[in-house]
Amino acid sequence: MIAAFFQGMVLGAPLILPLGPQNAFVLQQGVRRHYPLMVAGLCTLSDIILICGGVFGGSALLSQSTLLLSLVTWGGVLFLLWYGWGALRSALSGAMDSVQAMPAKQGRWRIISTMIAVTWLNPHVYIDTFVMLGSLGGQLAPAARSWFVLGAVTASTVWFFGLALLASWLSPRLSTPGAQRIINLLVGLVMWIIALKLAQQALGGG
């Protein structure tokens, strides 16, 4: 059982760690100190739902339904392009707001809805957690699957909360207009690159 736990951690970590829309948003909110622990918690909860759903029998649904995958993909492309444009526009604008002036601009529900969209409209989240981890964990004996899920969820929890806390800790150094411009530029480019890759895959070029 311990082997299944560490297998879940080892296989889950490489799928969670790469910089993507989720991680970029957690980093951004951590630097701004806009409910970073709440964002990390919701990202972790989303991973728990997806990993459990995939490991305990749901991974075949998405992998076999081309229509569902297509709808998720194009919805994700449109959202990532829109969100990326907002970040790039902020980065390229002449006047950058200081982080201290930002908290009043985004309420809790606005952040929650954006986080949900960043997570659930990103097809890579389904492919990585629901399909890949789900298919790998689903091959284990029924008694070992729960330990596999626990290992993958542990990797997700440590990463998201660690990223949020690290970003919050570094916030004083990253709250200058110049640093904010770089962060927004990075976030915008990540969103657009992933959107373009998703569109290429959907059109049969990937």
Side-chain angles (χ1 to χ4, degrees), residues 129-146:
T129 58
F130 199 70
V131 177
M132 294 184 64
L133 279 178
S135 60
L136 291 170
Q139 296 174 11
L140 299 174
R145 292 177 188 173
S146 297

PDB file of all heavy atoms in Angstrom, residues 129-146:
ATOM      1  N   THR A 129      -4.974  14.615 -15.192  1.00  0.00           N
ATOM      2  CA  THR A 129      -5.460  14.024 -13.944  1.00  0.00           C
ATOM      3  C   THR A 129      -6.538  12.962 -14.180  1.00  0.00           C
ATOM      4  O   THR A 129      -6.459  11.857 -13.640  1.00  0.00           O
ATOM      5  CB  THR A 129      -6.027  15.112 -13.015  1.00  0.00           C
ATOM      6  OG1 THR A 129      -7.083  15.804 -13.691  1.00  0.00           O
ATOM      7  CG2 THR A 129      -4.952  16.099 -12.623  1.00  0.00           C
ATOM      8  N   PHE A 130      -7.516  13.305 -15.006  1.00  0.00           N
ATOM      9  CA  PHE A 130      -8.664  12.414 -15.191  1.00  0.00           C
ATOM     10  C   PHE A 130      -8.304  11.197 -16.035  1.00  0.00           C
ATOM     11  O   PHE A 130      -8.616  10.060 -15.684  1.00  0.00           O
ATOM     12  CB  PHE A 130      -9.810  13.193 -15.840  1.00  0.00           C
ATOM     13  CG  PHE A 130     -11.156  12.553 -15.676  1.00  0.00           C
ATOM     14  CD1 PHE A 130     -11.776  12.519 -14.440  1.00  0.00           C
ATOM     15  CD2 PHE A 130     -11.809  11.997 -16.760  1.00  0.00           C
ATOM     16  CE1 PHE A 130     -13.027  11.935 -14.279  1.00  0.00           C
ATOM     17  CE2 PHE A 130     -13.057  11.419 -16.616  1.00  0.00           C
ATOM     18  CZ  PHE A 130     -13.661  11.386 -15.376  1.00  0.00           C
ATOM     19  N   VAL A 131      -7.621  11.428 -17.171  1.00  0.00           N
ATOM     20  CA  VAL A 131      -7.338  10.335 -18.101  1.00  0.00           C
ATOM     21  C   VAL A 131      -6.036   9.612 -17.746  1.00  0.00           C
ATOM     22  O   VAL A 131      -6.027   8.399 -17.511  1.00  0.00           O
ATOM     23  CB  VAL A 131      -7.275  10.859 -19.554  1.00  0.00           C
ATOM     24  CG1 VAL A 131      -6.899   9.721 -20.502  1.00  0.00           C
ATOM     25  CG2 VAL A 131      -8.625  11.431 -19.957  1.00  0.00           C
ATOM     26  N   MET A 132      -4.908  10.353 -17.672  1.00  0.00           N
ATOM     27  CA  MET A 132      -3.615   9.698 -17.474  1.00  0.00           C
ATOM     28  C   MET A 132      -3.493   9.080 -16.081  1.00  0.00           C
ATOM     29  O   MET A 132      -3.235   7.884 -15.936  1.00  0.00           O
ATOM     30  CB  MET A 132      -2.489  10.698 -17.733  1.00  0.00           C
ATOM     31  CG  MET A 132      -2.403  11.146 -19.178  1.00  0.00           C
ATOM     32  SD  MET A 132      -1.000  12.236 -19.500  1.00  0.00           S
ATOM     33  CE  MET A 132       0.373  11.129 -19.150  1.00  0.00           C
ATOM     34  N   LEU A 133      -3.661   9.909 -15.037  1.00  0.00           N
ATOM     35  CA  LEU A 133      -3.591   9.351 -13.685  1.00  0.00           C
ATOM     36  C   LEU A 133      -4.716   8.350 -13.437  1.00  0.00           C
ATOM     37  O   LEU A 133      -4.522   7.340 -12.750  1.00  0.00           O
ATOM     38  CB  LEU A 133      -3.664  10.474 -12.646  1.00  0.00           C
ATOM     39  CG  LEU A 133      -2.374  11.238 -12.362  1.00  0.00           C
ATOM     40  CD1 LEU A 133      -2.634  12.349 -11.343  1.00  0.00           C
ATOM     41  CD2 LEU A 133      -1.281  10.312 -11.860  1.00  0.00           C
ATOM     42  N   GLY A 134      -5.888   8.652 -14.013  1.00  0.00           N
ATOM     43  CA  GLY A 134      -7.011   7.737 -13.839  1.00  0.00           C
ATOM     44  C   GLY A 134      -6.749   6.371 -14.435  1.00  0.00           C
ATOM     45  O   GLY A 134      -7.033   5.339 -13.819  1.00  0.00           O
ATOM     46  N   SER A 135      -6.181   6.332 -15.634  1.00  0.00           N
ATOM     47  CA  SER A 135      -5.907   5.050 -16.278  1.00  0.00           C
ATOM     48  C   SER A 135      -4.798   4.293 -15.557  1.00  0.00           C
ATOM     49  O   SER A 135      -4.851   3.059 -15.427  1.00  0.00           O
ATOM     50  CB  SER A 135      -5.542   5.262 -17.748  1.00  0.00           C
ATOM     51  OG  SER A 135      -4.393   6.071 -17.865  1.00  0.00           O
ATOM     52  N   LEU A 136      -3.778   5.027 -15.079  1.00  0.00           N
ATOM     53  CA  LEU A 136      -2.682   4.378 -14.354  1.00  0.00           C
ATOM     54  C   LEU A 136      -3.158   3.825 -13.015  1.00  0.00           C
ATOM     55  O   LEU A 136      -2.853   2.688 -12.656  1.00  0.00           O
ATOM     56  CB  LEU A 136      -1.535   5.372 -14.135  1.00  0.00           C
ATOM     57  CG  LEU A 136      -0.757   5.792 -15.388  1.00  0.00           C
ATOM     58  CD1 LEU A 136       0.180   6.954 -15.052  1.00  0.00           C
ATOM     59  CD2 LEU A 136       0.035   4.622 -15.944  1.00  0.00           C
ATOM     60  N   GLY A 137      -3.900   4.628 -12.271  1.00  0.00           N
ATOM     61  CA  GLY A 137      -4.409   4.160 -10.989  1.00  0.00           C
ATOM     62  C   GLY A 137      -5.457   3.084 -11.131  1.00  0.00           C
ATOM     63  O   GLY A 137      -5.562   2.194 -10.282  1.00  0.00           O
ATOM     64  N   GLY A 138      -6.225   3.161 -12.215  1.00  0.00           N
ATOM     65  CA  GLY A 138      -7.273   2.174 -12.429  1.00  0.00           C
ATOM     66  C   GLY A 138      -6.744   0.781 -12.706  1.00  0.00           C
ATOM     67  O   GLY A 138      -7.489  -0.207 -12.591  1.00  0.00           O
ATOM     68  N   GLN A 139      -5.465   0.674 -13.074  1.00  0.00           N
ATOM     69  CA  GLN A 139      -4.870  -0.636 -13.341  1.00  0.00           C
ATOM     70  C   GLN A 139      -4.451  -1.358 -12.067  1.00  0.00           C
ATOM     71  O   GLN A 139      -4.137  -2.540 -12.097  1.00  0.00           O
ATOM     72  CB  GLN A 139      -3.655  -0.473 -14.257  1.00  0.00           C
ATOM     73  CG  GLN A 139      -3.998   0.071 -15.637  1.00  0.00           C
ATOM     74  CD  GLN A 139      -2.758   0.362 -16.464  1.00  0.00           C
ATOM     75  OE1 GLN A 139      -1.648  -0.012 -16.100  1.00  0.00           O
ATOM     76  NE2 GLN A 139      -2.951   1.036 -17.595  1.00  0.00           N
ATOM     77  N   LEU A 140      -4.410  -0.629 -10.951  1.00  0.00           N
ATOM     78  CA  LEU A 140      -3.997  -1.231  -9.688  1.00  0.00           C
ATOM     79  C   LEU A 140      -5.122  -2.060  -9.084  1.00  0.00           C
ATOM     80  O   LEU A 140      -6.292  -1.955  -9.483  1.00  0.00           O
ATOM     81  CB  LEU A 140      -3.581  -0.131  -8.694  1.00  0.00           C
ATOM     82  CG  LEU A 140      -2.407   0.750  -9.114  1.00  0.00           C
ATOM     83  CD1 LEU A 140      -2.212   1.865  -8.094  1.00  0.00           C
ATOM     84  CD2 LEU A 140      -1.129  -0.066  -9.266  1.00  0.00           C
ATOM     85  N   ALA A 141      -4.754  -2.877  -8.114  1.00  0.00           N
ATOM     86  CA  ALA A 141      -5.759  -3.649  -7.388  1.00  0.00           C
ATOM     87  C   ALA A 141      -6.691  -2.695  -6.645  1.00  0.00           C
ATOM     88  O   ALA A 141      -6.265  -1.608  -6.222  1.00  0.00           O
ATOM     89  CB  ALA A 141      -5.066  -4.593  -6.399  1.00  0.00           C
ATOM     90  N   PRO A 142      -7.959  -3.042  -6.505  1.00  0.00           N
ATOM     91  CA  PRO A 142      -8.920  -2.135  -5.848  1.00  0.00           C
ATOM     92  C   PRO A 142      -8.445  -1.617  -4.490  1.00  0.00           C
ATOM     93  O   PRO A 142      -8.671  -0.452  -4.153  1.00  0.00           O
ATOM     94  CB  PRO A 142     -10.168  -3.006  -5.715  1.00  0.00           C
ATOM     95  CG  PRO A 142     -10.072  -3.966  -6.848  1.00  0.00           C
ATOM     96  CD  PRO A 142      -8.608  -4.268  -6.993  1.00  0.00           C
ATOM     97  N   ALA A 143      -7.774  -2.458  -3.718  1.00  0.00           N
ATOM     98  CA  ALA A 143      -7.325  -2.029  -2.393  1.00  0.00           C
ATOM     99  C   ALA A 143      -6.204  -1.001  -2.462  1.00  0.00           C
ATOM    100  O   ALA A 143      -6.008  -0.218  -1.529  1.00  0.00           O
ATOM    101  CB  ALA A 143      -6.846  -3.249  -1.598  1.00  0.00           C
ATOM    102  N   ALA A 144      -5.451  -0.976  -3.576  1.00  0.00           N
ATOM    103  CA  ALA A 144      -4.318  -0.060  -3.707  1.00  0.00           C
ATOM    104  C   ALA A 144      -4.710   1.275  -4.337  1.00  0.00           C
ATOM    105  O   ALA A 144      -3.944   2.236  -4.255  1.00  0.00           O
ATOM    106  CB  ALA A 144      -3.213  -0.709  -4.530  1.00  0.00           C
ATOM    107  N   ARG A 145      -5.874   1.335  -4.933  1.00  0.00           N
ATOM    108  CA  ARG A 145      -6.263   2.553  -5.649  1.00  0.00           C
ATOM    109  C   ARG A 145      -6.415   3.751  -4.711  1.00  0.00           C
ATOM    110  O   ARG A 145      -6.036   4.864  -5.054  1.00  0.00           O
ATOM    111  CB  ARG A 145      -7.569   2.312  -6.415  1.00  0.00           C
ATOM    112  CG  ARG A 145      -7.423   1.343  -7.582  1.00  0.00           C
ATOM    113  CD  ARG A 145      -8.749   1.069  -8.257  1.00  0.00           C
ATOM    114  NE  ARG A 145      -8.619  -0.001  -9.235  1.00  0.00           N
ATOM    115  CZ  ARG A 145      -9.635  -0.543  -9.885  1.00  0.00           C
ATOM    116  NH1 ARG A 145     -10.887  -0.124  -9.640  1.00  0.00           N
ATOM    117  NH2 ARG A 145      -9.438  -1.510 -10.754  1.00  0.00           N
ATOM    118  N   SER A 146      -6.986   3.524  -3.545  1.00  0.00           N
ATOM    119  CA  SER A 146      -7.160   4.629  -2.603  1.00  0.00           C
ATOM    120  C   SER A 146      -5.816   5.200  -2.166  1.00  0.00           C
ATOM    121  O   SER A 146      -5.670   6.416  -2.006  1.00  0.00           O
ATOM    122  CB  SER A 146      -7.943   4.155  -1.371  1.00  0.00           C
ATOM    123  OG  SER A 146      -9.250   3.740  -1.731  1.00  0.00           O
TER     124      SER A 146
END
